[in-house]
Amino acid sequence: MELARIVARHSGMKLVAAVSDKWAGRSLGDMLPLGGMACDVRCVSQSEASSTFSGVGVVFLCTPAEVSIALAGEVLAAGARVVDLSGGFRLAAELYPRWYGFAHGRPDLLATAIYSMPEVTENSSALRTAGLVANPGCYSTASALAVLPLLRAGVIEREGLIIDAKSGTTGAGRKGNEEMSFSEVEGDFRAYRVLKHQHTPEIERALAMAGAGSAPVTFTAHLLPTRRGILATAYGRLRPGRTGTDAAAAVRSFVQSRPFLRAASPDAVRLQAVVGTNRALMGADADPDRTVAVGFAAIDNLVKGAAGQAVQNANLMLGWDETAGLDSLFGSMP
Amino acid sequence: MELARIVARHSGMKLVAAVSDKWAGRSLGDMLPLGGMACDVRCVSQSEASSTFSGVGVVFLCTPAEVSIALAGEVLAAGARVVDLSGGFRLAAELYPRWYGFAHGRPDLLATAIYSMPEVTENSSALRTAGLVANPGCYSTASALAVLPLLRAGVIEREGLIIDAKSGTTGAGRKGNEEMSFSEVEGDFRAYRVLKHQHTPEIERALAMAGAGSAPVTFTAHLLPTRRGILATAYGRLRPGRTGTDAAAAVRSFVQSRPFLRAASPDAVRLQAVVGTNRALMGADADPDRTVAVGFAAIDNLVKGAAGQAVQNANLMLGWDETAGLDSLFGSMP
Amino acid sequence: MELARIVARHSGMKLVAAVSDKWAGRSLGDMLPLGGMACDVRCVSQSEASSTFSGVGVVFLCTPAEVSIALAGEVLAAGARVVDLSGGFRLAAELYPRWYGFAHGRPDLLATAIYSMPEVTENSSALRTAGLVANPGCYSTASALAVLPLLRAGVIEREGLIIDAKSGTTGAGRKGNEEMSFSEVEGDFRAYRVLKHQHTPEIERALAMAGAGSAPVTFTAHLLPTRRGILATAYGRLRPGRTGTDAAAAVRSFVQSRPFLRAASPDAVRLQAVVGTNRALMGADADPDRTVAVGFAAIDNLVKGAAGQAVQNANLMLGWDETAGLDSLFGSMP
Amino acid sequence: MELARIVARHSGMKLVAAVSDKWAGRSLGDMLPLGGMACDVRCVSQSEASSTFSGVGVVFLCTPAEVSIALAGEVLAAGARVVDLSGGFRLAAELYPRWYGFAHGRPDLLATAIYSMPEVTENSSALRTAGLVANPGCYSTASALAVLPLLRAGVIEREGLIIDAKSGTTGAGRKGNEEMSFSEVEGDFRAYRVLKHQHTPEIERALAMAGAGSAPVTFTAHLLPTRRGILATAYGRLRPGRTGTDAAAAVRSFVQSRPFLRAASPDAVRLQAVVGTNRALMGADADPDRTVAVGFAAIDNLVKGAAGQAVQNANLMLGWDETAGLDSLFGSMP
């Protein structure tokens, strides 16, 4: 839904088809407050999906990991390029059984996939020719942004990273179960999949790819009683001689010339400031007495953590400015 | 759940059995923050329910209407008395097909059932010997309390009553479906079952039984983005010569010597003041220029609108003070 | 804030100045997720406001009613046109003492002001030359949209209209007081300013101006535990022979060729569908047994109920398409 | 408010006086859903407070730290005992300038104060004769419960403790400011007073007093968009050979014979399960690959984190069972 809304307003893109079993037969304009031609695009069911792939420039897959793995080859065979928003192409093949519970069915395609968090992995030339791009997960995006400035500037050690992340309910997708019902979630807060979350190896991979070395990360996900947004609070061991000033400077330096990143004081890194936008708000501080630095990053899980970043990746694949169609998004509150 | 908590703390009652397919085999103390012996009561499945009825004083049925209709006879045959919290015994038999979608299977039992909202129907002598008591619905309780003071005091006409009611999500019971998911309900507000809500005829019946005459009522239910509480806003046609002062006085007079009712100014009739308690907060005002009076009532839908009122009815059935086990309930906020 | 965001993205407008005591000296890009040149506009304090008026096409006044009344003359004298978002120019002069608590200081200007709810008042030729336009209040907009289709189509009588409206907290503006604190509002719901709300005469005026006759309206405002959105539920007396089908048809007919209005079934008229957009969602039904019709309208109080409608009015003043800069707004949830 | 409600229902206590400038002249029964004699207690203003101290057994001070420091001596001089709920007697005197911004005015009294978190400090004999008891803060209570089981059982090292805590808005007290308004907090989440929170030294002290050794702790507080409850997520360095099984066993062992503590799996440690009660829910797990253990504790910040624990301390001071008046509290949701 979010992706359709962004693509429909993107002046360089034309939304030509939408696949959804749930909404099959309905036009996008019925379901979304869209203007323009995208209104009239009628959803087709997944069984008809293949017919929509040919002649299309980019297909965005917003499907479960196993479905993405099955569909990506079809899309590529039809001559289109793929941005996959699932976890289907994010890890090394050997990690799928442990973290996703299945063996990867297309290790050949996986080997060609480019994992791209534009501000972090910075492989824009590879993106230009890539057929298959793996769009990062929302937790991984927020987590990497919370720690990378501190790692790159040498403020913290690579070992002992701890990321305590909190997400709104839309991170779980749209579905009905008692656990995600309003009566259960409102007024509540808790962790989930403790020490077992499948974003843990993705974060480790993202940091390794970003040149930040290779070491295990401790990651905990929590469920916030709100719909949108992720805040990642990251703790690292302060390197000798480093201070809170160094930590804040590392963030300011990192956001330079990255149009979607903003530096702020830690108390101002908040969900309301990013919800509805493709922006990340970031901050950091350190306490030499406790030999610790704390980094924060806030994003909208559905935009910068999913659909917005997917469009950002598509922009780079197509050789466009990465902000095209994204710079004018804004949230529903200041 | 709420009923178990209230009964477990009621010094005159002993919770001896609990029936639940979902929680079969688990003890109440595992699921609820209970003290005392009730902790050790282990739930049995519905197929074993009959074995729990004999030797028991009162059985509370918190089942769907059709299940209550089927079970009530069994309970009575076992020698226990029944307080039914469903809609199974609230209407005249001929209304069930239209409002509940089925023909009533036990019109014989229905004919013996006493519909009891203690502050309104005032049939305590009948309750003393009743075998089967129909506990009012949450919307009906709030709605009757919003209009009855004005009707009884002759402040408004009987014709043209409009009740605009708003309820938290727990009114819908515990279940998982997309419509009641946090992502759908948070930040949202809407009406539902417009002009088709099954509480409409119940409200009309409650008012008729309360001696307030017989006339159609317009009732609209809305879903609030909160868990607990109902606010009913009622509009009636002001009778000639009546004023806002009369409206407020009617409420103050009505709450006299009714221990769970409190009068307040209309702006102070709010959910936070009643959630967690068996109380109703009530207020009214009128505008002679517009020939209208407005009445308000706020209750906790799970306590005064369900479990608390059921215990209040059981207290009266057993000849006890109606406040037993209920006067010390208090909510989670002032 | 909301207005600045909309104007900054409007391709036909250029935001050249912003006045705010609170944010004086800060640039808009510091506070809002804006792109483009508007980022660099630096707020000036109100004492310097006059210097910003000359050479400007339209000044939007988002000030309290008394401040707007004082400033409007200055702006007009500087040669700019005014869209006033306050209640300063919405009523006949003689109503100000009762409903706003002060005598109107500029009845001369008030006499020239055009009250404009574009879908309702339809005075686009007058708007083309108007110097001073009074932008309707959020409650009045939602209320008029809930009843006008039914009135215009002759489905309901003019007498006995009742509007039960519910608004999110942003309707009260940004300020700190205990009553509006999170701890007081979350989990709560209540009415306020019962029978005394200043939008009552505005709604009556809007209906009269829309050719819907003149009769008193009963209006009640309630505070929802959410930030954005208003739902108005309106009750009218059904005219003989009219049905629910007529009510629904009246809404469908009314929204024809009005680009921001959408018809839906009453249960689908919900806040999530309009928050973040300039749209109104509307529905209606009727119950001949109870001689009543019910109309619903949902809007975003800050967009269609304030800033978006102000830009819509400015578009019409400038002879542009009324949707310019507004059609691509979309909310944060489907 | 919360304290008054608990004391009023405590069968061993009699609430004889209440001091409040804000509510001076009003009776408790006007403001709270209380039964019994406590209803009729009328608040007196702070200037009359001294007159209420004599002849009273225990005075609970729910005042700002500086006011508590000034009042405690007066209360003791009048022959009553004190449970202070502020931070006025929680730290060593030399820490006040840095963390509270003032020098402690009564170091003599501070030297006699007993800091008592009953499940942790276990000094019940000292409590029996104590004149002045410092009741722990809500964050300190949750934090200590999250880490102590792991420390005591030798599952984690003392060095490198990190506590990431999240609290509802009532932790900030009742007051009106824009930062705590509904429009700012709903849909938001952020950290505050990062690396500067005054509970940091209190947690360090509580752990030292609990025999868990002395080492710095890193503590971060976050503001949840809900009213009540704190969840503390604690990270410690896993000692060689220890596992997740050891972590879970440490919690189970710790809660044994402590009536208010319950063990649960980490995913089940949630706010809804404790809000409205004096209970703490606790859980832990570990990941040997990442050399880390994670501990969780959830409490109601106003009950176990303030008023409930204060009554628990008073029970112990008076030689009663620690659960008196507290075991039947229950929250508003399962």
Side-chain angles (χ1 to χ4, degrees), chain B residues 9 186 228 332-333, chain D residues 9 186 227-228 272 332:
Chain B
R9 294 180 49 226
E186 206 252 358
R228 281 190 174 221
S332 58
M333 282 298 288
Chain D
R9 293 181 50 226
E186 207 252 356
R227 279 177 293 166
R228 279 189 176 223
Q272 277 198 1
S332 58

Side-chain angles (χ1 to χ4, degrees), chain B residues 140-207:
Chain B
S140 304
T141 301
S143 299
L145 293 174
V147 299
L148 263 180
L150 300 172
L151 282 172
R152 287 227 176 123
V155 175
I156 57 173
E157 307 287 356
R158 181 63 187 84
E159 283 72 37
L161 277 180
I162 288 170
I163 296 168
D164 190 281
K166 303 89 176 174
S167 173
T169 56
T170 52
R174 296 183 84 176
K175 58 191 171 196
N177 59 47
E178 187 182 317
E179 198 170 72
M180 297 301 282
S181 71
F182 186 87
S183 297
E184 294 296 311
V185 174
E186 206 252 358
D188 201 28
F189 184 70
R190 63 180 178 87
Y192 62 98
R193 279 191 252 162
V194 173
L195 299 177
K196 290 171 194 67
H197 201 288
Q198 72 278 12
H199 278 6
T200 304
E202 186 190 336
I203 297 166
E204 291 170 354
R205 190 186 192 203
L207 296 181

Side-chain angles (χ1 to χ4, degrees), chain C residues 166-281:
Chain C
K166 303 89 175 174
S167 173
T169 57
T170 51
R174 297 183 84 176
K175 58 191 169 196
N177 60 48
E178 188 183 318
E179 197 171 72
M180 296 302 283
S181 72
F182 185 87
S183 297
E184 294 296 311
V185 174
E186 206 254 356
D188 202 26
F189 183 70
R190 63 179 178 88
Y192 61 97
R193 279 192 251 162
V194 173
L195 299 177
K196 290 173 194 67
H197 201 288
Q198 73 277 13
H199 278 5
T200 304
E202 186 190 336
I203 297 166
E204 291 170 353
R205 189 186 194 203
L207 296 180
M209 289 175 64
S214 176
V217 167
T218 299
F219 172 79
T220 310
H222 299 77
L223 185 65
L224 283 170
T226 190
R227 280 177 291 166
R228 281 190 174 219
I230 290 182
L231 182 80
T233 308
Y235 301 89
R237 297 179 190 164
L238 196 66
R239 295 182 62 191
R242 298 315 188 102
T243 66
T245 306
D246 296 329
V251 173
R252 278 198 307 275
S253 162
F254 190 87
V255 305
Q256 287 290 343
S257 72
R258 291 185 166 103
F260 292 118
L261 308 187
R262 298 284 156 127
S265 72
D267 290 26
V269 179
R270 56 188 290 212
L271 300 192
Q272 277 197 1
V274 296
V275 164
T277 79
N278 199 52
R279 293 191 174 180
L281 209 55

Side-chain angles (χ1 to χ4, degrees), chain B residues 1-2 5-6 9 29 31-35 170 174 186-187 227-228 262 272-273 275 277 279 302 327-334, chain D residues 1-2 5-6 9 29 31-35 170 174 186-187 227-228 262 272-273 275 277 279 302 327-334:
Chain B
M1 291 293 213
E2 194 73 11
R5 298 200 284 186
I6 296 172
R9 294 180 49 226
M31 297 175 287
L32 296 171
L34 297 176
T170 52
R174 296 183 84 176
E186 206 252 358
R227 280 178 292 167
R228 281 190 174 221
R262 298 284 156 127
Q272 277 198 0
V275 164
T277 80
R279 294 193 173 177
L302 295 183
D327 54 351
S328 63
L329 292 180
F330 60 69
S332 58
M333 282 298 288
Chain D
M1 291 294 213
E2 193 73 12
R5 298 200 285 185
I6 295 173
R9 293 181 50 226
M31 297 175 287
L32 296 171
L34 297 176
T170 52
R174 297 184 84 176
E186 207 252 356
R227 279 177 293 166
R228 279 189 176 223
R262 297 284 156 128
Q272 277 198 1
V275 164
T277 80
R279 293 192 174 179
L302 294 183
D327 53 352
S328 64
L329 292 179
F330 61 68
S332 58
M333 282 299 288

Side-chain angles (χ1 to χ4, degrees), chain D residues 228-313:
Chain D
R228 279 189 176 223
I230 290 183
L231 182 80
T233 308
Y235 301 89
R237 296 179 191 164
L238 195 66
R239 294 183 61 192
R242 297 315 189 103
T243 65
T245 306
D246 296 329
V251 173
R252 279 197 308 275
S253 162
F254 190 87
V255 305
Q256 286 290 344
S257 74
R258 292 186 166 101
F260 293 119
L261 308 188
R262 297 284 156 128
S265 72
D267 290 26
V269 179
R270 54 189 290 212
L271 300 192
Q272 277 198 1
V274 296
V275 164
T277 80
N278 199 51
R279 293 192 174 179
L281 208 55
M282 299 155 57
D285 200 352
D287 182 346
D289 290 352
R290 289 171 176 74
T291 338
V292 76
V294 196
F296 297 88
I299 61 168
D300 183 324
N301 54 304
L302 294 183
V303 187
K304 182 61 183 164
Q309 188 153 259
V311 169
Q312 189 180 352
N313 272 320

